């Protein structure tokens, strides 16, 4: 981020200086042209005017590009964050990226506004001390207004957002209750409610807006008056021949330039806080410091582990190729135990060390992508023959999933839970896992398929962990551990 | 660029004429004031330089300088008025279109609503409806104000240069050039619509895929195959990114076009200024006005481009809203509810007035669906629901709601005063206080509706359904959250209404209270 900030600052300096220079040149060329309208002056004036337009447009395009690049980079970071198992409110993270991207260029605008104050020197040199004094006086008066307007608009926009959110929520409540409202004959009432609520909100917001616009317009007003007064002072100077036309025009355009730069920053000022909030929100995307690699010889080493719902601490060592079965009633903390063992959740107390082996987690809620069976199970590496053989071994050889081009629905709504479990297992086996963890899935399988599943996992050299309420896939585990109040 | 949906919505969302005229007037006046300030000031300086030597116009020039000062004073209040009227327009649009959305979704069948409410379609619809305010506020009004200002500047040109015979021709040439550029921008915006549509779809698809992968990522990470999840995201991301790049490219091309057009109009302006200034009898004001016209044209191009960007975005919005507004039913009923006691019949089942019928069957056998069909919330496909000998679908919606009470399995409530939440603006035709007490949910008039327990929610839903003393009551598991002594209370209240009751239930005490049991699994009616 720091390199971007310094880049933005240099861009701001360049844009501020170029703006001042073009204002200066515009004053001179316009004066020469109007005193002696010959073609060469007209060409010069054309050049300067075009240069100003090109400068504006180039800046726009440049920022468009920078924003695109930022959006792209943040999009990539968000994607890798998600792909590596990061969780969070993805929708609000996406919103934060947008806010951050929109905040790009604010620093440049700030710096450019600062740089434009160099124009005060030009003002003094070309416009005389009186112009400078008048302008500084007006600007000095407006500084407190600028600050107040900035604060107010920041506060008002937060306030507005909040009200808008509440109103939107109320509206959504109504939309979500629509069938009930309709059944009770209350739709007309709902519409009346919306109108009444919106209108009372409108009155409040209008009040806030009146204040905000009022104070931000005070600054615009003072800017206008500053330009007008400067024009008047140099104008009278020109009339009584104490000042040349080119000095007068230069003074005028430089004044306009300073005011424009200031106003440009002031109107975007409130986006600063949005961008700051977004930065804080996106801090989660920074990769967490990697844990020191566990150097254990076995597969799992668990010491005095307590998780949600467990009553007695659990300790065990599981070597590679061994199997463990944990049984307990519902609510005894089985699923949390699985999460903690696999590092998806922190334990309440105790420690878990795990060799980093490819692990297949088989639970009833296994997720698939909206893609073909081939992509979902083969993961781009397994051959069709292997996929079909694995499906056959799990008793899915004659199911519709043996058609490898069939597209799975992402929410699995058309899949029975038994099929889902077996597909997840097929995916894990094809990925060549060394550890398999079954989270209470045995009861979802009928006897025949449970037998097939047991056969295909026990005749490989796999480390197996199963938590269950009763029925087991791993029929003869090396260790059998009870959970719960025993 | 306005394609038909946008044009339709433009008409539909037209604000009341006095507000829009006020906003438009203020916007135009502020635009003119701004122009006078930015172009008039240097012009007056030039004029003062030209008249340094004659003493007569001194006062005139000094007057002009003071006029500029006045304009500087005036501009801010004008902008203020413009923005405030703009917000009035915006809020009127929000109120109007939110009401519209509620009424539109209210006409949907239950099926369509439940599909929509599972995803974030309702949220998006709300966002779309809210963004309609930009149509006038940020597209039409600025555009019209700029066009008006440009026209005024052209009229000024004709007036100032009236002595020159070629002035009307020059003005015509400028108008033609400006029209050509604006038309080109319109065409470009129209051409960008398909891209904008695809880009929008790609963006939504990427978000959806991100949600999908979030659910599966931990499993893939454990498998040691995060690369697969990443590749899956990448595919959607690349598509989104490619389309974004394409639209950025369009923006760049358009900027280039604008620069060329700007160079053209500036060149033309300066050429004319040089030409006129060197002709006999010309004054500096000619060139000044020409310059003014040229600079306003530059402004016109930029504003048109911005307004068109908004129009493109809103075209997509209105297309989505048109989809929402599609009717899924044929013409709504208009008949009145038959007078006197009614017999309800559907699919071989005849329910005489006052009969109580229990719907039983395992979950998933269609009890709730049947109740919704009987309430005309969902279309019955295989049979028609008859009230005496009128088809329910022919009866007006408001009549049905008055005569048919419905209690959903999981009732939904709004927020606000309890009386409003339950009464929903209907005049009670029962003694509300008495029934509320009998049901065990005392309701002082001033209480706010608060989150209640499931049992209280259900009893309140019954009170809400009884409000208009309906002849037919349809109840979906009304006792599932109730304790052993609350169920008899509820049945007692039902007993007193003497309405026809059709109750989907698993509760044996309710089943035994009913006269007839209809088993949906077997289609058998068991009389008791």
């Amino acid at each position: 981020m720091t390199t971007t900030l310094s880049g933005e600052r240099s861009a701001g300096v360049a844009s501020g200086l170029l703006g001042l220079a073009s204002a200066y040149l515009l004053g001179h060329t316009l004066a020469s042209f109007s005193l002696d309208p010959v073609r060469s002056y007209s060409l010069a004036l054309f050049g300067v005017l075009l240069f100003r337009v090109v400068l504006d447009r180039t800046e726009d395009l440049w920022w468009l590009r920078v924003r695109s690049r930022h959006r792209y980079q943040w999009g990539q970071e968000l994607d890798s964050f998600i792909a590596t198992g990061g969780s969070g409110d993805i929708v609000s993270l996406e919103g934060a990226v947008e806010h951050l991207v929109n905040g790009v260029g604010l620093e440049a605008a700030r710096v450019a506004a600062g740089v434009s104050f160099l124009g005060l020197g030009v003002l003094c040199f070309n416009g005389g001390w009186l112009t400078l004094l008048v302008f500084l006086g007006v600007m000095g008066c407006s500084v407190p207004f600028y600050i107040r307007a900035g604060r107010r608009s920041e506060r008002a926009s937060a306030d507005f957002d909040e009200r808008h959110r509440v109103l939107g929520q109320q509206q959504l409540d109504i939309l979500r209750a629509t069938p009930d409202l309709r059944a009770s004959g209350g739709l007309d009432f709902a519409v009346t409610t919306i109108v009444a609520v919106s209108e009372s909100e409108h009155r409040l917001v209008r009040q806030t807006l009146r204040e905000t616009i009022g104070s931000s317009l005070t600054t615009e007003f003072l800017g206008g008056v500053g330009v007008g007064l400067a024009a008047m002072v140099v104008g009278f100077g020109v009339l009584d021949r104490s000042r040349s036309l080119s000095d007068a025009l230069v003074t005028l355009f430089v004044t306009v330039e300073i005011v424009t730069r200031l106003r440009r920053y002031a109107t975007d000022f409130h986006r600063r806080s949005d961008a700051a909030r977004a930065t804080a929100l996106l801090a989660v995307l920074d990769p967490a410091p990697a844990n020191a690699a566990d150097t254990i010889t076995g597969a799992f080493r668990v010491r005095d582990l307590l998780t949600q719902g467990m009553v007695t601490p659990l300790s065990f060592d599981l070597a590679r190729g061994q199997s463990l079965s944990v049984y307990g009633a519902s609510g005894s903390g089985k699923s949390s135990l699985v999460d903690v063992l696999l590092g998806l959740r922190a334990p309440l107390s105790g420690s878990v060390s795990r060799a980093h082996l490819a692990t297949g987690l088989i639970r009833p809620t296994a997720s698939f992508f909206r893609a073909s069976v081939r992509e979902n199970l083969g993961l781009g590496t397994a051959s069709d023959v292997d996929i079909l053989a694995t499906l056959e071994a799990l008793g899915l050889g004659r199911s519709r999933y043996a058609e490898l081009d069939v597209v799975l629905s992402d929410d699995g709504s058309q899949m029975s839970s038994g099929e889902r479990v077996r597909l997840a297992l097929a995916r894990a086996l094809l990925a060549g896992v060394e550890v398999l963890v079954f989270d209470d899935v045995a009861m979802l399988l009928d006897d025949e398929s449970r037998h097939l599943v047991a056969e295909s996992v026990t005749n490989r050299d796999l480390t197996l962990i199963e938590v269950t309420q009763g029925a087991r896939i791993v029929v003869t585990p090396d260790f059998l551990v009870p959970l719960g109040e025993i | 660029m306005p394609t038909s949906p946008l044009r339709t919505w433009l008409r539909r969302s037209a604000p009341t004429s006095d507000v829009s005229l006020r906003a438009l007037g203020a916007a135009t006046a502020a635009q003119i004031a701004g122009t006078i300030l930015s172009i008039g000031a240097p012009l007056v300086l030039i004029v003062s330089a030209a008249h340094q030597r004659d003493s007569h116009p001194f006062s005139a020039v000094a007057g002009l300088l003071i006029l500029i000062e006045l304009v500087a004073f005036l501009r801010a209040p004008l902008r203020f008025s413009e923005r405030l009227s703009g917000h009035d327009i915006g809020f009127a649009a929000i109120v109007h279109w939110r009401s519209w959305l509620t009424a539109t979704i209210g006409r949907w069948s239950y099926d369509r609503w439940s599909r929509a409410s599972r995803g974030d379609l309702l949220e998006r619809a709300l966002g779309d409806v809210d963004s309609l305010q930009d149509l006038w506020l940020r597209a039409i009004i600025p555009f019209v104000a700029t066009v008006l200002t440009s026209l005024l500047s052209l009229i000024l040109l004709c007036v100032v240069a009236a002595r020159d015979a070629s002035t009307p021709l020059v003005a015509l040439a400028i108008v033609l050039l400006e029209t050509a550029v604006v038309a080109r921008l319109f065409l470009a915006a129209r051409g960008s619509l398909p891209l904008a549509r695809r880009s929008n779809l790609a963006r939504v698809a990427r978000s959806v895929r991100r949600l999908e992968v979030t659910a599966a990522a931990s499993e893939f990470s454990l498998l040691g195959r995060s690369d697969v999840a990443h590749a899956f995201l990448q595919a959607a991301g690349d598509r989104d990114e490619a389309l974004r790049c394409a639209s950025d490219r369009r923006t760049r091309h358009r900027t280039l076009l604008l620069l060329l057009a700007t160079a053209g109009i500036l060149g033309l302006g300066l050429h004319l200024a040089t030409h006129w200034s060197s002709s006999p009898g010309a004054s500096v004001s000619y060139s000044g006005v020409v310059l003014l016209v040229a600079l306003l044209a530059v402004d016109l191009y930029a504003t048109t481009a911005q307004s068109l960007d908004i129009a493109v975005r809103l075209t997509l919005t209105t297309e989505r809203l048109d989809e929402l507004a599609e009717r899924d039913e044929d013409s709504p009923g208009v008949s009145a509810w038959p007078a006197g006691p009614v017999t309800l019949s559907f699919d071989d089942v005849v329910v005489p007035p006052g009969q109580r019928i229990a719907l039983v069957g395992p979950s998933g056998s269609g009890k709730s669906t049947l109740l919704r069909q009987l309430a005309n919330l969902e279309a019955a496909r295989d049979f028609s629901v008859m009230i005496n000998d009128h088809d329910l679908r022919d009866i007006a919606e408001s009549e049905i709601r008055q005569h048919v009470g419905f209690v959903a399995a999981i009732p939904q409530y709004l927020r606000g005063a309890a009386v409003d939440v339950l009464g929903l603006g209907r005049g009670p035709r029962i003694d509300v206080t008495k029934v509320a007490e009998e049901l065990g949910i005392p309701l002082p008039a001033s209480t706010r509706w608060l989150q209640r327990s499931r049992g209280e929610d259900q009893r309140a839903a019954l009170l809400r359904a009884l409000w208009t003393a309906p002849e037919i009551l349809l109840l979906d598991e009304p006792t599932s959250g109730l304790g052993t002594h609350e169920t008899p209370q509820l049945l007692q209240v039902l007993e007193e209404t003497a309405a026809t009751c059709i109750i989907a239930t698993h509760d044996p005490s309710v089943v035994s209270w009913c006269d007839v049991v209809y088993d949906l699994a077997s289609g058998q009616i068991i009389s008791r």
Side-chain angles (χ1 to χ4, degrees):
Chain A
M1 280 313 284
T2 46
T3 52
T4 327
L5 264 193
S6 66
E8 273 201 31
R9 287 203 183 109
S10 353
V13 171
S15 138
L17 286 178
L18 283 174
L20 273 184
S22 73
Y24 187 85
L25 285 177
L26 181 60
H28 272 298
T29 44
L30 185 60
S32 317
F33 175 71
S34 58
L35 291 177
D36 184 15
V38 291
R39 188 154 297 279
S40 58
Y41 286 144
S42 125
L43 277 179
L45 183 58
F46 175 72
V48 174
L49 281 175
L50 198 61
F51 174 71
R52 280 172 73 87
V53 180
V54 169
L55 187 66
D56 261 7
R57 294 284 158 260
T58 318
E59 266 188 62
D60 287 352
L61 283 186
W62 197 69
W63 288 120
L64 183 74
R65 234 188 84 196
V66 174
R67 290 201 184 104
S68 296
R69 214 174 50 221
H70 269 250
R71 191 180 284 119
Y72 177 74
Q73 278 170 0
W74 280 108
Q76 294 290 318
E77 282 198 32
L78 189 57
D79 280 354
S80 22
F81 171 73
I82 294 170
T84 48
S87 58
D89 183 356
I90 301 301
V91 176
S92 69
L93 285 178
E94 279 183 338
V97 169
E98 274 311 303
H99 274 306
L100 203 65
V101 167
N102 285 335
V104 168
L106 274 183
E107 180 65 14
R110 193 178 70 87
V111 172
V115 168
S116 72
F117 273 105
L118 289 177
L120 290 180
V122 181
L123 223 62
C124 182
F125 188 72
N126 292 73
W129 60 269
L130 186 59
T131 320
L132 181 65
L133 202 66
V134 167
F135 183 69
L136 278 183
V138 174
M139 291 326 272
C141 287
S142 62
V143 163
F145 285 106
Y146 266 104
I147 293 174
R148 202 177 64 149
R151 291 216 181 109
R152 272 203 183 168
S153 73
E154 218 160 321
R155 204 168 42 223
S157 84
D159 199 41
F160 181 81
D161 286 351
E162 177 60 18
R163 283 179 197 290
H164 193 72
R165 199 185 57 75
V166 170
L167 187 58
Q169 196 54 51
Q170 212 153 354
Q171 169 75 61
L172 270 179
D173 280 353
I174 289 175
L175 294 183
R176 294 198 180 290
T178 301
D180 243 30
L181 288 174
R182 182 179 172 197
S184 316
L187 271 183
D188 294 342
F189 178 75
V191 171
T192 327
T193 312
I194 287 169
V195 172
V197 172
S198 303
E199 267 168 10
S200 75
E201 290 290 326
H202 176 31
R203 273 195 296 281
L204 286 171
V205 170
R206 204 169 192 276
Q207 192 56 42
T208 335
L209 276 176
R210 193 182 269 280
E211 280 178 26
T212 327
I213 302 178
S215 57
S216 78
L217 283 180
T218 315
T219 62
E220 223 172 275
F221 172 71
L222 286 171
V225 172
V227 173
L229 279 178
M232 233 167 101
V233 172
V234 290
F236 282 114
V238 170
L239 275 181
D240 68 10
R241 294 182 217 181
S242 64
R243 196 156 302 289
S244 75
L245 179 61
S246 76
D247 279 350
L249 286 176
V250 165
T251 310
L252 181 69
F253 288 129
V254 169
T255 318
V256 171
E257 178 73 16
I258 298 176
V259 171
T260 314
R261 290 286 177 181
L262 274 182
R263 206 172 52 215
R264 202 177 291 174
Y265 178 55
T267 48
D268 286 346
F269 177 72
H270 68 273
R271 279 194 288 167
R272 227 177 37 158
S273 58
D274 288 344
R277 267 198 298 275
T279 315
L281 206 57
L282 288 172
V284 296
L285 298 195
D286 286 339
N291 291 326
D294 298 324
T295 47
I296 62 168
T297 46
F300 285 90
R301 188 174 65 204
V302 172
R303 291 288 174 269
D304 304 323
L305 183 67
L306 264 185
T307 70
Q308 213 85 51
M310 278 170 63
V311 190
T312 43
L314 185 66
S315 301
F316 64 82
D317 282 289
L318 197 64
R320 291 187 194 190
Q322 286 188 318
S323 54
L324 166 80
S325 185
V326 181
Y327 62 93
S330 80
S332 57
K334 293 191 303 296
S335 283
S336 338
L337 177 63
V338 168
D339 283 351
V340 170
L341 284 179
L342 296 179
L344 302 177
R345 204 192 290 194
L348 290 180
S349 70
S351 68
V352 176
S353 310
R354 175 168 77 92
H356 286 279
L357 305 169
T359 305
L361 171 59
I362 316 297
R363 37 174 51 162
T365 54
S367 317
F368 297 93
F369 296 141
R370 196 181 317 181
S372 68
V373 174
R374 181 181 291 110
E375 288 167 89
N376 265 297
L377 300 189
L379 303 182
T381 47
S383 69
D384 283 7
V385 180
D386 288 344
I387 298 175
L388 286 171
T390 311
L391 285 176
E392 180 69 45
L394 295 174
L396 291 169
R398 266 180 296 280
S399 70
R400 63 199 171 101
Y401 303 106
E403 204 53 63
L404 295 186
D405 292 317
V406 165
V407 173
L408 298 181
S409 66
D410 56 321
D411 58 351
S413 51
Q414 286 139 28
M415 239 180 253
S416 80
S417 33
E419 286 169 341
R420 181 187 283 243
V421 164
R422 281 181 287 165
L423 287 176
L425 180 60
R427 179 170 71 189
L429 292 176
L430 286 164
V433 293
E434 296 179 64
V435 182
L436 270 177
V437 179
F438 296 97
D439 185 1
D440 215 358
V441 293
M443 60 175 185
L444 300 174
L445 302 169
D446 56 53
D447 288 343
E448 192 193 349
S449 36
R450 187 158 56 217
H451 183 70
L452 286 171
V453 168
E455 211 165 80
S456 29
V457 300
T458 41
N459 62 15
R460 298 168 193 233
D461 188 22
L462 294 175
T463 310
L464 299 170
I465 294 182
E466 178 172 27
V467 301
T468 175
Q469 296 196 35
R472 284 208 296 269
I473 291 172
V474 189
V475 190
T476 50
D478 298 323
F479 302 98
L480 198 56
V481 181
L483 266 193
E485 55 276 75
I486 293 175
Chain B
M1 136 45 270
T3 56
S4 54
L6 187 65
R7 223 175 312 169
T8 319
W9 283 88
L10 210 57
R11 246 196 332 271
R12 285 187 198 162
S13 62
T16 50
S17 56
D18 57 326
V19 186
S20 49
L21 278 181
R22 200 168 69 225
L24 192 59
T28 316
Q31 179 95 15
I32 293 172
T35 315
I36 291 180
L37 192 60
S38 60
I39 300 191
L43 213 61
V44 171
L45 288 184
I46 295 171
V47 171
S48 1
H51 293 285
Q52 268 174 348
R53 287 178 187 84
D54 11 330
S55 60
H56 175 61
F58 182 88
S59 53
V61 173
L64 276 178
L65 280 171
I66 291 167
L67 181 73
I68 286 191
E69 187 57 24
L70 279 179
V71 167
F73 271 103
L74 264 180
R75 199 171 59 134
L78 282 171
R79 284 253 177 252
F80 182 79
S81 156
E82 177 207 348
R83 289 191 202 167
L84 222 50
S85 338
H87 278 283
D88 284 345
I89 293 179
F91 261 92
I94 285 188
V95 171
H96 181 80
W97 290 110
R98 285 189 170 183
S99 310
W100 174 85
L101 183 66
T102 312
T104 304
I105 292 187
R107 275 195 302 272
W108 285 5
S109 72
Y110 178 83
D111 195 34
R112 185 170 176 192
W113 172 86
S114 81
R115 259 181 289 133
S117 66
R118 266 202 294 274
D120 61 346
L121 193 118
L122 293 180
E123 279 93 334
R124 268 191 285 146
L126 189 58
D128 283 347
V129 161
D130 282 0
S131 68
L132 272 182
Q133 60 167 319
D134 291 348
L135 196 56
W136 285 85
L137 207 56
R138 291 176 56 197
I140 306 285
I141 289 179
F143 178 65
V144 174
T146 324
V147 169
L148 284 181
T149 318
S150 302
L151 283 179
L152 279 178
S153 72
L154 280 172
I155 293 173
L156 189 66
L157 175 71
C158 290
V159 170
V160 170
R163 274 171 299 171
D164 191 304
S166 64
T167 312
L169 274 181
V170 172
L172 189 67
I174 292 177
V175 167
L176 282 180
L177 182 62
E178 287 185 2
T179 318
V181 173
V182 169
R184 179 75 191 82
L185 285 174
F186 264 72
L187 286 179
R190 174 175 281 211
S192 75
L193 261 181
L195 177 65
R197 257 182 226 126
R198 274 186 293 146
S199 174
N200 189 51
L201 284 180
R203 200 164 313 153
V204 173
R206 188 180 193 183
S207 294
V208 168
R209 191 160 281 196
R210 276 180 173 154
L211 290 176
E212 224 176 287
V213 174
T214 312
S218 60
E219 288 165 41
F220 280 86
S221 160
L222 285 171
L223 284 175
R225 295 300 305 272
S226 292
D227 57 313
V228 176
H230 205 260
F232 196 63
L233 278 176
Q234 199 79 43
D238 285 348
R239 193 174 153 64
D240 178 33
E241 215 51 62
L243 286 167
R244 268 185 205 273
C245 284
S247 66
D248 281 357
R249 218 166 20 244
R250 261 180 187 272
T251 313
R252 277 201 295 276
H253 286 166
R254 195 180 63 185
T255 309
L256 208 62
L257 168 77
L258 284 184
L259 277 181
L260 282 179
T262 306
I265 198 95
L266 282 179
L268 180 65
L270 282 169
H271 172 76
L272 289 174
T274 321
H275 170 71
W276 275 338
S277 310
S278 55
S279 66
S283 105
V284 70
S285 50
Y286 287 7
S287 31
V289 173
V290 170
L291 215 57
L292 173 79
V293 170
L295 291 179
L296 276 175
V298 175
D299 208 24
L300 174 71
Y301 300 158
T303 312
T304 309
Q306 270 170 20
S307 300
L308 285 172
D309 278 347
I310 291 169
V312 166
R313 185 162 59 76
L314 285 172
T315 305
L316 303 185
T317 305
T318 50
E319 282 169 1
R320 288 194 293 268
L321 287 177
D322 273 344
E323 271 168 40
L324 288 188
E326 265 169 31
R327 305 293 283 262
D328 49 4
E329 291 163 38
D330 20 70
S331 60
V334 286
S335 320
W337 187 263
V342 290
T343 303
L344 171 74
S345 56
F346 60 94
D347 198 20
D348 304 343
V349 182
V350 178
V351 190
Q355 195 181 46
R356 305 186 294 234
I357 174 166
L359 301 177
V360 297
S363 53
S365 57
K367 298 192 292 290
S368 300
T369 311
L370 176 59
L371 283 180
R372 281 195 296 268
Q373 287 167 343
L374 294 181
N376 202 27
L377 295 174
E378 205 174 327
R381 288 196 190 81
D382 310 333
F383 54 87
S384 45
V385 182
M386 306 295 285
I387 303 291
N388 291 350
D389 43 7
H390 300 265
D391 194 316
L392 185 64
R393 278 174 298 186
D394 295 337
I395 299 176
E397 171 88 16
S398 60
E399 293 273 310
I400 299 178
R401 298 306 152 218
Q402 198 180 334
H403 294 279
V404 179
F406 183 86
V407 176
I410 303 168
Q412 307 280 341
Y413 297 98
L414 303 181
R415 303 173 207 192
V419 173
D420 286 340
V421 170
L422 298 181
L424 295 171
R426 302 166 297 171
R429 289 165 65 188
I430 53 165
D431 185 348
V432 173
T433 330
K434 181 168 154 278
V435 177
E437 258 165 35
E438 282 173 1
L439 284 169
I441 40 165
L443 268 190
S446 59
T447 41
R448 284 191 68 76
W449 181 256
L450 298 171
Q451 198 64 50
R452 282 152 195 259
S453 74
R454 177 141 182 250
E456 280 174 321
D457 260 6
Q458 263 168 335
R459 283 174 282 161
L462 180 60
L463 179 59
R464 182 169 70 177
L466 287 174
W467 206 268
T468 53
E471 279 104 315
I472 297 175
L473 271 174
L474 306 165
L475 306 122
D476 196 352
E477 305 278 3
T479 59
S480 59
L482 299 188
T484 42
H485 70 283
E486 286 149 345
T487 305
Q489 270 179 346
L490 185 130
L491 292 178
Q492 178 62 35
V493 170
L494 285 180
E495 188 101 45
E496 283 166 18
T497 63
T500 307
C501 293
I502 302 181
I503 312 179
T505 187
H506 284 117
D507 186 340
S509 63
V510 177
V511 174
S512 64
W513 175 80
C514 288
D515 306 321
V516 170
V517 176
Y518 180 41
D519 184 358
L520 259 85
S522 62
Q524 297 283 313
I525 297 182
I526 309 148
S527 292
R528 312 178 69 87

